[in-house]
Amino acid sequence: MKKIPGVVSKTSETELSTLDRRAFVKGFATVSAGLAASPFLKSPAEAQAAPPSSDYPMGRPPSAFRPADHPNPPELPGSSRAGQYFRILYKPSTAPDELQLGVNYTFWMPDNVQTVRGVIVHQHGAGVEAAQAGASAAFDLHWQALAKKWDCVLLGPSYLVTNDSTSGTGAPGGASLWVAPQRGSAKAFERGLHDVAQQSGHAEIATAPWFLWGHSAGGSWSRAMSLLYPERIAAIFLRSGGGSVRAQTQVPRTVYAIPTMANAGILEMGNSPWQGTLAGFQQFRAEGAPIGFAADPRTAHFCGDSRYLAIPFFEACMEMRLPEKGSKSQTLRPVDQTHAWLASYPGNTAAPAAEFKGDVKQSVWLPNAAVAKAWMDYVKTGTVADCSIPPGPFNVRVNNTGDRGTEVSWDAAADIASGLGGFIVVRDGQGIARFPVDAPEEVYGRPLFQGLSFHDTPDVPLPKMTYLDATTKAGESHTYTVIALSSAGVPSVPGGSPDGMRTLTGRLMRSLPQFDGASFDGASEEKA
């Protein structure tokens, strides 16, 4: 593939056969001729290319800083100025029925929410690295986009484990202290919800429904929580974890009523995460539970691009189960089977439930046609094709920093379908920078502006939406434009679009004596 100047790329020329290119070409054609010629814009083929499976570390956990004593995670400045963060840290308890570990809960709440309708929980797995990664989960712009659309808060727990032990007989301070909710993590979780409800002034958070996403041991925790709080859980996504329920356990019918997606990487076939996740799916589906199974065909324990299935799955469940917006009730609505699709397992083709010819009790359950399409993409290719045009950046600001040059900063929201892949900074119609600048050391999924860890969380430190143009000189006049890219490489439209998306540009007049570095020639300029 042709390299992009200044960018180390690990994408391939392989195109996703499921892509509807006509929509992409239509959107791409709206970009001006000057920008289309920019070396920072990919061709349609490059934009939709999927990372080759050889780039994946095949389930090998990343090497990372491992402190002897897992410290209190530092405050993380977010990539975006949107929303509010609330942080609650609980110290270990010595009471036998309370959590024997410290835990840090980070909540993100969208701006201007009148009533919080639900809580999205992004629960990490076992081990020190997983716990550290959990500290940045609430800062994820892609998951924040889902939370914002549905008036939910996003919660990223980080249990302060001191070792990687998962056994109750292992070294003290391991994940066994939190994976079983009865050992105090359920009580700490409820306490955290009540405390943030009080801090934020949104009392409804304490009783709002939950959407549980759990990776590995976090999947086991999510499944165990469903046995304790089935009436509170609107949906579950089990990412390489969760397993089956012991035969002697009494499972209430309310547990079987929770819509669930079980996800595992095929490169772990034969290992316990794969076997347990599949067994759990089969056990629950045999009881008529609305549960699906999504096998990632190219990864192992980290399940690659599963977020592009998890987010639409949760969105379908939010639409189906949350009470109507504005309702004072927080009682979940029952699962609506009217629009369900089914697929045979193993297999990669789904059909409307009324047209399905196989054994329903062994079938993959999918809530609607949109999720069925995403599921078919994912189980065939390991990712989900998307050619929608992402929202453009806004509030572009230009600041004179003196001899250092010109600082350009902006705000942006992630595309709910494909996330936020990066940005192109354009000066006078020519691309001068692209973010992220460097390719990740190890690829765990499609490239994202915030990076992507093994644990499906942003890399730390979190990147800022800012660029320093060190080449400008006093007396020059330049127009800056910022273009957003989805994770599929599709660019946003500068200067607006029929959908109301827009990119603001600022003209910097550095020669003006009244310029104080806090504003630029009085106003933003919108390009048509």
Side-chain angles (χ1 to χ4, degrees):
M1 143 177 181
K2 182 179 180 181
K3 290 188 177 181
I4 301 172
V7 178
V8 180
S9 177
K10 301 185 84 171
T11 57
S12 75
E13 294 284 3
T14 305
E15 298 182 51
L16 298 178
S17 59
T18 54
L19 173 66
D20 180 355
R21 299 200 180 281
R22 289 174 296 178
F24 174 82
V25 172
K26 181 179 179 182
F28 193 86
T30 61
V31 181
S32 67
L35 297 182
S38 167
F40 294 93
L41 285 174
K42 295 180 181 181
S43 70
E46 292 171 332
Q48 284 291 326
S53 58
S54 59
D55 277 347
Y56 285 83
M58 304 305 181
R60 176 169 54 87
S63 58
F65 174 61
R66 286 174 171 270
D69 181 24
H70 187 26
N72 176 21
E75 293 286 353
L76 297 176
S79 296
S80 168
R81 300 184 301 170
Q84 301 179 69
Y85 292 94
F86 299 89
R87 189 180 188 207
I88 298 173
L89 176 65
Y90 298 132
K91 295 181 179 180
S93 173
T94 56
D97 61 339
E98 295 182 353
L99 188 63
Q100 308 293 304
L101 288 171
V103 60
N104 174 66
Y105 294 120
T106 304
F107 293 82
W108 180 84
M109 179 185 296
D111 293 319
N112 304 316
V113 173
Q114 298 299 314
T115 301
V116 173
R117 302 176 69 193
V119 180
I120 303 170
V121 182
H122 198 285
Q123 180 55 59
H124 64 75
V128 174
E129 290 170 352
Q132 289 175 327
S136 66
F139 295 83
D140 192 309
L141 297 175
H142 195 182
W143 283 94
Q144 286 181 7
L146 176 68
K148 179 180 178 180
K149 181 175 179 180
W150 291 92
D151 291 340
C152 293
V153 294
L154 176 62
L155 167 58
S158 177
Y159 290 96
L160 307 186
V161 296
T162 57
N163 58 71
D164 293 336
S165 172
T166 58
S167 169
T169 59
S176 63
L177 293 175
W178 66 262
V179 170
Q182 299 90 334
R183 300 194 69 179
S185 60
K187 185 176 291 187
F189 177 74
E190 285 203 275
R191 179 185 173 191
L193 294 176
H194 280 84
D195 284 353
V196 79
Q198 184 175 18
Q199 288 185 24
S200 65
H202 283 269
E204 69 276 11
I205 292 176
T207 53
W210 307 334
F211 296 85
L212 304 184
W213 178 102
H215 178 213
S216 193
S220 299
W221 179 86
S222 298
R223 174 54 73 206
M225 287 290 282
S226 75
L227 298 174
L228 299 176
Y229 305 92
E231 73 287 346
R232 293 289 302 275
I233 301 173
I236 303 175
F237 192 94
L238 303 172
R239 184 182 189 241
S240 196
S244 56
V245 177
R246 293 178 180 177
Q248 63 268 31
T249 302
Q250 287 292 110
V251 180
R253 296 308 304 178
T254 49
V255 175
Y256 289 128
I258 300 171
T260 304
M261 180 62 68
N263 170 220
I266 201 167
L267 296 180
E268 280 202 311
M269 185 178 289
N271 296 334
S272 58
W274 169 278
Q275 297 296 96
T277 304
L278 178 59
F281 155 70
Q282 292 171 332
Q283 179 187 36
F284 273 64
R285 192 65 183 129
E287 295 291 336
I291 184 171
F293 182 77
D296 185 334
R298 64 181 184 183
T299 72
H301 196 51
F302 57 95
C303 300
D305 283 336
S306 60
R307 64 167 51 204
Y308 305 107
L309 176 62
I311 288 176
F313 175 76
F314 273 161
E315 183 163 28
C317 295
M318 288 171 177
E319 183 176 14
M320 177 171 53
R321 303 213 67 200
L322 286 177
E324 294 294 335
K325 190 169 183 177
S327 171
K328 294 183 179 180
S329 171
Q330 290 186 316
T331 302
L332 290 166
R333 291 185 289 174
V335 173
D336 182 0
Q337 299 282 5
T338 306
H339 305 290
W341 283 47
L342 301 176
S344 296
Y345 178 78
N348 56 26
T349 302
E355 302 173 13
F356 182 69
K357 305 301 183 184
D359 185 344
V360 172
K361 290 195 173 183
Q362 295 182 19
S363 67
V364 172
W365 178 87
L366 304 161
N368 59 25
V371 176
K373 181 183 181 303
W375 178 87
M376 285 188 281
D377 275 359
Y378 182 73
V379 299
K380 291 174 185 175
T381 69
T383 193
V384 176
D386 177 60
C387 53
S388 59
I389 301 172
F394 54 96
N395 291 340
V396 176
R397 304 173 296 280
V398 180
N399 180 34
N400 178 10
T401 64
D403 294 339
R404 292 178 60 236
T406 302
E407 183 180 75
V408 184
S409 56
W410 60 91
D411 296 313
D415 176 52
I416 198 168
S418 285
L420 183 57
F423 298 98
I424 297 170
V425 178
V426 179
R427 185 183 69 195
D428 301 332
Q430 294 296 317
I432 59 173
R434 179 172 176 174
F435 297 93
V437 175
D438 298 317
E441 292 184 6
E442 293 182 302
V443 177
Y444 296 109
R446 295 205 308 238
L448 293 171
F449 168 65
Q450 293 182 303
L452 183 66
S453 76
F454 181 94
H455 311 280
D456 193 67
T457 57
D459 291 330
V460 177
L462 298 168
K464 295 296 184 181
M465 297 181 191
T466 184
Y467 171 69
L468 180 64
D469 183 1
T471 66
T472 57
K473 299 178 181 179
E476 295 180 344
S477 174
H478 300 287
T479 297
Y480 289 89
T481 302
V482 183
I483 300 172
L485 300 171
S486 72
S487 69
V490 180
S492 65
V493 180
S497 76
D499 298 323
M501 297 179 291
R502 64 178 181 167
T503 301
L504 300 181
T505 63
R507 180 173 295 277
L508 173 65
M509 303 296 290
R510 296 180 63 190
S511 60
L512 296 178
Q514 68 268 29
F515 182 76
D516 61 3
S519 62
F520 53 95
D521 76 357
S524 297
E525 174 184 319
E526 181 175 344
K527 283 191 174 293

